[in-house]
Amino acid sequence: MERQLYAMHNQVRFVTDQPIDEAEWEELVRFFHYVDRQWSRFDEQSEVSRLNRLQIGDTLSVSLPLARLLARATRYFEQTERYFSPFLLAQQQANGYRQSFPFTQAVAYEEVAPPEIAPFIIEGCDVTRVGGGFIDLGGIGKGAAAMIAAQRLRKSWNRGLIEAGGDVIVWSDEEPWNITITHPETEQRVADVQLRQGAVATSNRVYRSWKTDGQTHHHLLDGRTGRPPKSPILQVTASAPQLCEAEVMTKLAFQMTETERQEKLFRWFPKGRLLILDTAGEWRSEQKGVSETWT
């Protein structure tokens, strides 16, 4: 059985072998409505926007799911030595990303240096600004919302799949799920991932891109510079035990060389795997200690 809803500017699919209880479905709809209202950088009244307006020293009490997400995102920011950053709103806006998709043209502004330390301290549900930087949750917000929904549904579903904008989380006590990976330009099937438990996230430079002064820009930024990385990679698919981990891995892969991924990315996420497509059309499969051309 399958049900769908629209949230976070993406179609979100819920698939299971069991009937979907209507009360359970209504609870899911309410939760994703909350995510849309409170986690968006495009809504001036959201909790995220209110946090971004805080002055240094000011504190705001936020909802528990958002507080936990900010704490998780901050841990990734520190763990990955700023390769991943959820605090790049000003840099995304300078890059031309100031409205929700779809759009094809934008104007870039003067670059802004990204924060070198986490700009917020989270204590319970209280969030205090201690430095410069503005929240843009992006893909990790989408991943966290799917993880929260999956945690709730596991109590009643023995086998389930949630897909949000190409990011997938699955669980099964029986047959594994088959997740198809497609080429970002041709949309042809190139690989299948078999999973009983875990998650898959995909990022590419094609779907969320736009033109500025004749130059193509995309939403993937280097957390250390605040600028799009100069990368030969066109698309990355990551698999990991948790969807947020897979989301972070895709962002890091664009910023790193093959050697750096082995030395850093797989040290931070040793259970992760990557399937990488470069601009020359070559596919590579990578995991801890292994990197090989994939055909």
Side-chain angles (χ1 to χ4, degrees):
M1 186 172 184
E2 178 175 330
R3 299 286 291 268
Q4 296 189 23
L5 57 81
Y6 188 79
M8 306 172 291
H9 308 288
N10 287 281
Q11 203 69 26
V12 185
R13 298 171 57 234
F14 301 82
V15 186
T16 181
D17 296 338
Q18 303 162 231
I20 298 177
D21 179 75
E22 281 303 317
E24 193 170 55
W25 176 250
E26 290 174 6
E27 183 180 349
L28 282 172
V29 171
R30 285 194 296 270
F31 170 69
F32 279 93
H33 181 59
Y34 148 79
V35 169
D36 264 346
R37 285 186 294 110
Q38 302 299 349
W39 295 9
S40 173
R41 70 173 173 100
F42 299 109
D43 186 339
E44 288 297 315
Q45 300 306 313
S46 72
E47 289 184 320
V48 164
S49 293
R50 290 163 61 198
L51 285 171
N52 282 336
R53 290 195 293 270
L54 289 180
Q55 301 297 310
I56 290 179
D58 288 348
T59 299
L60 179 69
S61 292
V62 300
S63 56
L64 182 59
L66 178 57
R68 287 176 171 171
L69 171 54
L70 288 175
R72 178 191 290 269
T74 300
R75 287 196 300 272
Y76 288 142
F77 173 78
E78 294 169 345
Q79 174 189 0
T80 65
E81 301 169 3
R82 297 191 297 122
Y83 277 92
F84 168 79
S85 177
F87 308 119
L88 297 179
L89 174 57
Q91 291 70 30
Q92 286 286 16
Q93 292 173 332
N95 191 39
Y97 191 0
R98 290 183 298 281
Q99 58 186 308
S100 59
F101 273 88
F103 66 92
T104 58
Q105 299 287 331
V107 177
Y109 288 91
E110 185 176 349
E111 293 180 355
V112 181
E116 296 184 3
I117 62 169
F120 298 95
I121 292 176
I122 302 100
E123 297 176 314
C125 290
D126 292 337
V127 183
T128 302
R129 179 179 283 282
V130 294
F134 302 94
I135 302 165
D136 180 12
L137 294 172
I140 197 172
K142 179 175 59 174
M147 286 174 59
I148 292 170
Q151 186 177 24
R152 296 180 181 181
L153 293 173
R154 278 191 174 102
K155 298 174 183 177
S156 55
W157 295 9
N158 294 326
R159 188 169 186 267
L161 176 150
I162 301 174
E163 179 190 3
D167 292 352
V168 182
I169 183 168
V170 300
W171 64 97
S172 175
D173 294 338
E174 302 169 359
E175 292 297 314
W177 288 95
N178 184 75
I179 302 166
T180 298
I181 311 302
T182 60
H183 194 288
E185 295 176 328
T186 66
E187 297 189 354
Q188 292 182 332
R189 170 188 166 276
V190 294
D192 291 304
V193 178
Q194 301 275 331
L195 280 180
R196 279 193 175 86
Q197 306 283 339
V200 173
T202 297
S203 291
N204 63 59
R205 290 160 38 187
V206 177
Y207 294 163
R208 292 187 182 272
S209 61
W210 58 92
K211 294 284 188 181
T212 298
D213 296 328
Q215 300 293 317
T216 300
H217 289 232
H218 57 78
H219 70 296
L220 299 165
L221 300 184
D222 186 325
R224 300 160 302 163
T225 67
R227 297 190 296 271
K230 295 180 179 179
S231 172
I233 295 175
L234 185 64
Q235 175 171 288
V236 177
T237 295
S239 63
Q242 297 187 13
L243 186 50
C244 283
E245 291 180 349
E247 268 286 346
V248 172
M249 288 173 61
T250 64
K251 306 305 185 288
L252 268 57
F254 279 93
Q255 302 172 47
M256 294 178 169
T257 64
E258 181 181 335
T259 299
E260 288 171 330
R261 290 192 290 272
Q262 287 295 329
E263 292 177 348
K264 295 184 177 183
L265 188 152
F266 291 115
R267 171 163 53 87
W268 297 326
F269 303 104
K271 296 182 180 180
R273 295 188 175 195
L274 298 174
L275 182 61
I276 297 173
L277 171 65
D278 65 24
T279 52
E282 180 178 273
W283 291 88
R284 295 196 65 79
S285 175
E286 297 183 4
Q287 62 188 85
K288 187 176 182 180
V290 178
S291 179
E292 56 191 5
T293 301
W294 182 86
T295 57

